[in-house]
Amino acid sequence: MSSGHLTIDLGALAANWKALAQLSAGETAAVVKADAYGLGSGRVARALAEAGARRFFVAVAEEGAAVREAIGKGPMIGILSGHMEGDTALIRDHDLVPMLNSVDQMLRQIEALPNRPFGIQLDTGMSRLGLEPGEWAAVRDLAMTRNPVLLMSHLACADEPEHPMNPHQLQNFRDMTEGLDVPRSLSATGGILLGPDYHFDLTRPGIGLYGGQPFAESRSVVRLDIPVIQLRTIAPGETVGYGNIWTAARPSRIATIAAGYADGLPRALGGKLRLYHGAIPCPAVGRVSMDLITVDVTDLPEDPAYLTMLGPHQGVDRLATAAGTIGYEILTSLGRRYSRAYV
């Protein structure tokens, strides 16, 4: 190991997809945007296709092209950003399906790729992507003559089951799609857990595939082990790291490990982070710097060769909580300096 070893459990990933598929009333897709949440879209998409996924979603056309090269012909690959200017050749050549978000995108699709499949994203209250109710009313008849393959929207507060926005968006989605003979999709991971009223024809889990909340039953997918570069013993009163923010209160054994904020470990973790040697927690001390973290290993029975950042005793959400962020950000920020292994 140089700056860390990231192990990605494709079996756990596939098991998470199958578990969410069992909870879903209709078909279950897989969201593999942002390079499959930082874990490698090619390997992840192939594993999910082998598990049974036949529809995938990415953020932009370039991501869709990469997934198509990985999984080959057949499965649908939806582009959540729609048909943006300059995307036409990628959409055509890689058999991608844009989820159109605006009147301009609809006109671009009809003019440039009149015989190619597309879906439509509707804004049911998130005010982020999609046609608003008035826009949809104006172009719905035109759109339906072109036979869209999917009508979709996205929930803003699905990770809060009691939030009033959930039934509000559900009703809006029903109102905007009532009477239309087109498959519908509203829910990602959180929406799946809200129950079958939110499932419609297709669900689109993302974070739950990768071991993150709100899918509490998900299996852990990632393990991050970081090598120890150097060990030293310091006396009471000596300080560690930038700014002298940590002072030893006892004779202490300090391990310096080969990772930092350049590897996707937020600087905000300073003073809050724990790593593990087996099941034994070891507190990080001092600041998280660009390439290095210092860890108090005084209470270990032996000097460690490496410490575990992510693993059975600390998942992405626990680490995210310590950093004041969310599991999505931890996953998608995992640095490219780590060596990677897929199991």
Side-chain angles (χ1 to χ4, degrees):
M1 289 184 289
S2 53
S3 63
H5 185 72
L6 185 66
T7 304
I8 298 155
D9 188 340
L10 297 176
L13 176 90
N16 290 339
W17 180 83
K18 290 177 180 178
L20 288 162
Q22 287 184 331
L23 293 175
S24 298
E27 185 182 352
T28 305
V31 177
V32 293
K33 63 182 180 178
D35 196 29
Y37 288 49
L39 302 186
S41 63
R43 295 295 296 270
V44 165
R46 284 197 296 271
L48 292 171
E50 290 172 4
R54 289 296 173 265
R55 294 176 189 253
F56 296 86
F57 288 89
V58 296
V60 296
E62 289 82 359
E63 293 179 339
V67 172
R68 177 63 72 203
E69 291 177 5
I71 64 174
K73 296 180 179 179
M76 187 204 91
I77 301 173
I79 311 300
L80 296 171
S81 64
H83 190 156
M84 298 174 66
E85 190 172 354
D87 283 352
T88 299
L90 282 172
I91 291 171
R92 180 189 63 236
D93 296 344
H94 296 277
D95 190 22
L96 309 177
V97 181
M99 300 292 120
L100 306 179
N101 291 291
S102 67
V103 175
D104 286 345
Q105 286 194 354
M106 188 172 298
L107 295 175
R108 183 178 297 126
Q109 177 76 14
I110 291 171
E111 292 172 3
L113 299 171
N115 299 313
R116 302 289 303 176
F118 65 91
I120 296 171
Q121 191 156 189
L122 303 173
D123 179 14
T124 54
M126 194 172 187
S127 300
R128 193 176 66 169
L129 279 178
L131 292 158
E132 296 180 0
E135 294 174 310
W136 176 231
V139 300
R140 184 174 62 183
D141 290 346
L142 171 63
M144 295 307 294
T145 65
R146 300 285 175 164
N147 299 314
V149 299
L150 187 70
L151 300 176
M152 65 166 287
S153 190
H154 193 57
L155 295 166
C157 303
D159 56 347
E160 301 176 56
E162 304 304 320
H163 200 290
M165 190 65 168
N166 295 320
H168 174 71
Q169 284 192 263
L170 175 62
Q171 188 58 53
N172 285 347
F173 188 60
R174 285 174 171 160
D175 291 343
M176 294 174 77
T177 59
E178 186 178 8
L180 301 178
D181 187 20
V182 180
R184 295 181 288 179
S185 178
L186 178 62
S187 291
T189 301
I192 293 173
L193 302 177
L194 291 176
D197 285 350
Y198 290 82
H199 294 177
F200 294 93
D201 303 288
L202 181 73
T203 60
R204 316 180 309 272
I207 190 65
L209 303 178
Y210 306 100
Q213 295 290 348
F215 185 34
E217 288 74 34
S218 63
R219 287 173 52 182
S220 178
V221 173
V222 295
R223 178 184 177 106
L224 177 58
D225 296 314
I226 302 173
V228 174
I229 303 173
Q230 189 173 15
L231 288 141
R232 72 183 66 241
T233 299
I234 65 172
E238 288 192 84
T239 59
V240 174
Y242 286 121
N244 299 145
I245 65 169
W246 187 84
T247 303
R250 59 175 178 167
S252 299
R253 193 73 169 150
I254 302 298
T256 300
I257 64 172
Y261 57 76
D263 303 291
L265 303 172
R267 191 169 180 268
L269 283 168
K272 306 169 188 173
L273 174 63
R274 275 166 173 62
L275 294 93
Y276 283 80
H277 178 64
I280 303 173
C282 305
V285 296
R287 288 179 176 159
V288 174
S289 53
M290 184 180 291
D291 314 293
L292 304 169
I293 299 171
T294 42
V295 186
D296 184 353
V297 296
T298 309
D299 295 326
L300 295 184
E302 59 192 6
D303 283 344
Y306 66 88
L307 293 168
T308 300
M309 178 77 69
L310 293 170
H313 301 288
Q314 180 165 257
V316 292
D317 291 293
R318 184 171 170 185
L319 189 63
T321 298
T325 183
I326 56 176
Y328 299 78
E329 185 174 4
I330 296 295
L331 278 173
T332 57
S333 298
L334 291 175
R336 294 298 171 188
R337 293 194 291 191
Y338 302 133
S339 62
R340 295 183 174 220
Y342 294 86
V343 298

